[in-house]
Structures are given as C-alpha cells and as structure tokens.
Amino acid sequence: MLCKDNHVLTREENSVLNLEEYRQGKTHLNSRPLYVMVELTQGCNLHCTMCRPEVITIQSRMMSEDIYHRIAQELFPTAEMVDLRGDGESLILPQICKYIEVAAEYGVAIRFVSNMSFQRDEVIDLLIKHGCYLSISVDSPDPDVFAHLRRGGNLSKVERNLRKLAAGYREHWGSTDRINLTTTVQRPALESLPDLVDFAADIGIQEIRLASVHASPDSPLSLYNHDAEVDATLKQMQERSRLHGVKVVAATQIGTIPQKPDDSSACLHPWSYVSFKYDGFIGFCDHLIGSGSEVYHLGNIDESSFEEVWNGEKWQTLRQEHLTSRCSHAPHFKECSWCYKNRYIDFEHFFLPEAKGQIYAL
C-alpha cells in the first residue's frame, strides 16, 4: 500500500498528489497510477481484418487469478479507473463476472472495450449493475460491411446488447453517458459511416469516437490518398450529429483534420497510467498493447516489485523524455512520437480536468 510520511493515501489523496506530480514534472513519484489496465486475455471471439493475422483462444493467453489478485490488492485501492481488457475480448471469459465483482468491491470505476458480439445476459446485467464505462467497437452499421471487417462478428447480437445496455443504463444511471461507440475508420466502411450516427441515435448512444485504421498504404483498408472521401464522410457525420444530438469525436488525425500543435503538454500516461499484460509484463499506455508492444515493456510483476518498476530508471527516463526532447529514437518512445502529432484526447479528461478542452469534436 502506498505511504507518504507514514500515512496511507486514500484514493482521493492519491489523485490529488498524482496530478500535482504530473503538473510539476516530477519523474520519481510518491503517488500511484490513476488508471490501471489489466489484460485478462489476448484471446478473442473475432478475427478482425485490421487486428491480427492469427486466431488466439482465450485459454492460450490468459492472466492467472494469482496475478490479477496481486494487482488488485496493490493498485485498485488508489486507482480511479480499472480497465479489464487488453488485446482480447475479456467479456467472454468464463470467470469475468467474478473479476468484475472483485474490482467493484474496491469502489473503483470499471471500464471495458468490447466487440459485444456474443450473448451473455448475465454479463450485460452485471455491467449495468456496476455502471461500467463501455467503448463498443462498431465500424459500420451495415451488416455486410461489419461482417467483412469484424470477421466472426454478428451485428444483430451487438445491436441487441447495445439496446439492453442503453435501456439498463437509463433506468439505473439516468443516461447512457458511460457508453460510446468506438469506430476504426476504414475505407470499406466510409460510405456507411454517416448512417452510424442514425444507428447510435436510435439506440440512445450519445457519443461516437473515430480513430484512423493502422494499415499499410497498399492495404484495401487504408485511408492513404483518400482524404477527400474521408472529409466528405466526416462532413456528413457532422451534419447527422447535429440533427440527432450525437457527439462525434476524432480520437486521431483523420482526413484533413490538422495534426496536434507541437507545443502540447506532456502526455499524462507515463505519470498516471499503467498496463499489465496477461503474463505480468508492465507497460505505461493502453494503446501500446498486442503484437509488437514488447519494446514498450518496463518490467514484469513476477520479477520486480511494482515500486521498483514504477520508479525505476526506465520509467523515470521515459517521463523525462516526455518533458524534454521527445525524440522518436529514444527508448520506449517511438509510438509516443506519433501520438503527440496524431492522437487526440480519448478519456484522459476522466482524470485530468483541463484535458476536456483538448477533445476534438466534429
């Protein structure tokens, strides 16, 4: 448990201290992370074209209960949000309800990113009960396009779950503010994207977050050299959003949306975020997961204490790089260099109030 001057910090005290240390540019922290991502599995029920070349079962790459409980005991008491996902679909795990209840016992906000292409009413009911924050992956409202992009996915199941969630959140929490659609913008889906605003409005979802696909320029998914088509799609989405009252947000640079200014403040993640891979490896960002993320690992929970990693030389050097040169060739920084130019605010404003002004709404 975190201590300062022989005092055990409460969640509220830790939050205040963590943001103070971030704003002051401290590299050695007395606070603990506000956001904890726990990758329960890399397995998934889908095999999406944009995502991975291999099929990964949940059993083959699944976090042990021992690692989960160790993370929970040490970090959940002071965290603001626990994200029980990673590079897989954790809501299909047989023991997911138990994991949700463990997190809920600590009184922490719980978040998932999910494809929702399954039928598990007991899981949906538990998400509603605890008011979990949900980002649901829907790349097109057209069933055929959806099935092409989300191989193995079923839009009817997704829509059924979304309607059940929306009704449950309105009844128990007064709104659907904790639910959004997260959309990877891909060339085959461009024509159908304006209809996604209608789709969301009809269900009662009030926000869509758009992120550009990561694909090689010659990929059929790529948006490379298609700025005019992308801009036309975004304009139509903007018009529909105003008509229906659905907020459409750009999470990354898309089309001719400008890159972020060079004078942006240091990214919050190295000060306030931690991610745990299913096998115990520790990272600093919820975007740096999956294939190729190994170069961003800063330690392993089975080899070092969390404190040794959190305030170790690698992590302190990383924080210093975010404060100073931000060199793309610096250790653990290549992807960060891209993000400083191309990634807008996602949900950082949940922790950092001033970040709300950096959200890029269409």
Side-chain angles (χ1 to χ4, degrees):
M1 181 64 71
L2 173 65
C3 297
K4 183 184 179 185
D5 299 327
N6 296 319
H7 171 65
V8 178
L9 293 181
T10 65
R11 174 172 289 123
E12 292 73 20
E13 290 169 335
N14 182 67
S15 296
V16 171
L17 178 60
N18 181 263
L19 294 185
E20 284 180 356
E21 292 179 325
Y22 162 73
R23 292 173 180 133
Q24 293 169 6
K26 299 286 185 67
T27 59
H28 184 283
L29 307 185
N30 289 309
S31 61
R32 290 292 174 91
L34 307 183
Y35 168 90
V36 181
M37 192 194 81
V38 185
E39 182 180 70
L40 298 177
T41 181
Q42 284 193 347
C44 191
N45 54 329
L46 306 188
H47 185 207
C48 302
T49 306
M50 64 168 180
C51 187
R52 59 182 70 176
E54 56 186 327
V55 176
I56 301 174
T57 64
I58 59 172
Q59 293 86 2
S60 63
R61 300 183 190 176
M62 186 167 61
M63 180 175 283
S64 70
E65 289 194 30
D66 173 65
I67 290 179
Y68 179 75
H69 285 291
R70 283 157 55 196
I71 295 168
Q73 289 170 8
E74 182 162 6
L75 294 178
F76 287 11
T78 48
E80 291 284 337
M81 177 180 284
V82 168
D83 199 336
L84 296 180
R85 54 102 184 188
D87 194 41
E89 177 52 71
S90 54
L91 289 179
I92 63 174
L93 286 170
Q95 65 271 51
I96 189 58
C97 290
K98 180 168 64 175
Y99 285 153
I100 294 173
E101 293 289 15
V102 168
E105 288 175 3
Y106 286 95
V108 66
I110 304 169
R111 181 176 186 263
F112 287 94
V113 177
S114 171
N115 60 55
M116 280 291 161
S117 188
F118 50 78
Q119 187 164 338
R120 299 190 70 186
D121 285 349
E122 73 282 8
V123 173
I124 300 299
D125 289 340
L126 200 58
L127 297 176
I128 294 169
K129 173 185 174 182
H130 293 299
C132 298
Y133 289 80
L134 305 174
S135 286
I136 311 303
S137 300
V138 182
D139 302 324
S140 172
D142 182 298
D144 294 332
V145 176
F146 180 91
H148 169 67
L149 297 175
R150 297 273 171 180
R151 289 181 293 184
N154 184 310
L155 186 60
S156 295
K157 287 184 179 179
V158 177
E159 182 176 352
R160 174 189 178 275
N161 287 334
L162 282 171
R163 291 190 182 280
K164 182 176 174 63
L165 286 165
Y169 274 61
R170 283 192 294 266
E171 179 181 353
H172 292 274
W173 302 100
S175 75
T176 59
D177 289 350
R178 303 185 192 193
I179 308 173
N180 67 73
L181 302 186
T182 182
T183 301
T184 303
V185 181
Q186 306 169 67
R187 196 176 350 143
L190 285 177
E191 186 177 348
S192 65
L193 281 185
D195 293 336
L196 185 62
V197 181
D198 304 337
F199 176 86
D202 183 61
I203 294 172
I205 304 299
Q206 299 173 312
E207 183 173 320
I208 300 172
R209 297 178 184 173
L210 307 176
S212 178
V213 68
H214 281 280
S216 62
D218 59 349
S219 167
L221 306 180
S222 175
L223 304 177
Y224 183 72
N225 280 340
H226 288 272
D227 282 354
E229 189 177 353
V230 173
D231 287 351
T233 296
L234 297 181
K235 183 178 180 181
Q236 291 181 58
M237 294 188 77
Q238 182 184 58
E239 293 169 350
R240 302 271 188 100
S241 72
R242 291 171 177 170
L243 178 65
H244 294 299
V246 174
K247 186 176 183 180
V248 181
V249 172
T252 68
Q253 192 278 331
I254 313 173
T256 60
I257 288 176
Q259 289 186 328
K260 291 168 60 179
D262 291 335
D263 61 350
S264 57
S265 57
C267 175
L268 180 69
H269 293 204
W271 281 263
S272 303
Y273 281 43
V274 64
S275 66
F276 290 90
K277 194 177 173 184
Y278 75 95
D279 52 6
F281 279 98
I282 302 172
F284 61 94
C285 182
D286 58 311
H287 300 300
L288 300 178
I289 57 177
S291 178
S293 66
E294 294 81 9
V295 297
Y296 301 104
H297 294 163
L298 301 176
N300 190 294
I301 194 172
D302 285 328
E303 299 171 359
S304 309
S305 70
F306 179 73
E307 172 62 25
E308 289 172 330
V309 180
W310 180 241
N311 280 313
E313 181 180 355
K314 289 181 180 180
W315 213 316
Q316 289 199 61
T317 300
L318 175 70
R319 293 180 185 123
Q320 187 62 42
E321 192 68 30
H322 278 262
L323 293 169
T324 54
S325 58
R326 300 180 187 169
C327 174
S328 61
H329 299 298
H332 315 296
F333 207 86
K334 182 179 179 181
E335 190 70 17
C336 299
S337 182
W338 182 91
C339 283
Y340 269 104
K341 294 181 179 179
N342 296 287
R343 192 179 296 282
Y344 284 91
I345 293 298
D346 189 359
F347 57 93
E348 287 86 345
H349 57 290
F350 185 92
F351 317 100
L352 186 67
E354 57 262 38
K356 193 170 185 178
Q358 301 173 37
I359 297 173
Y360 196 103
L362 300 187

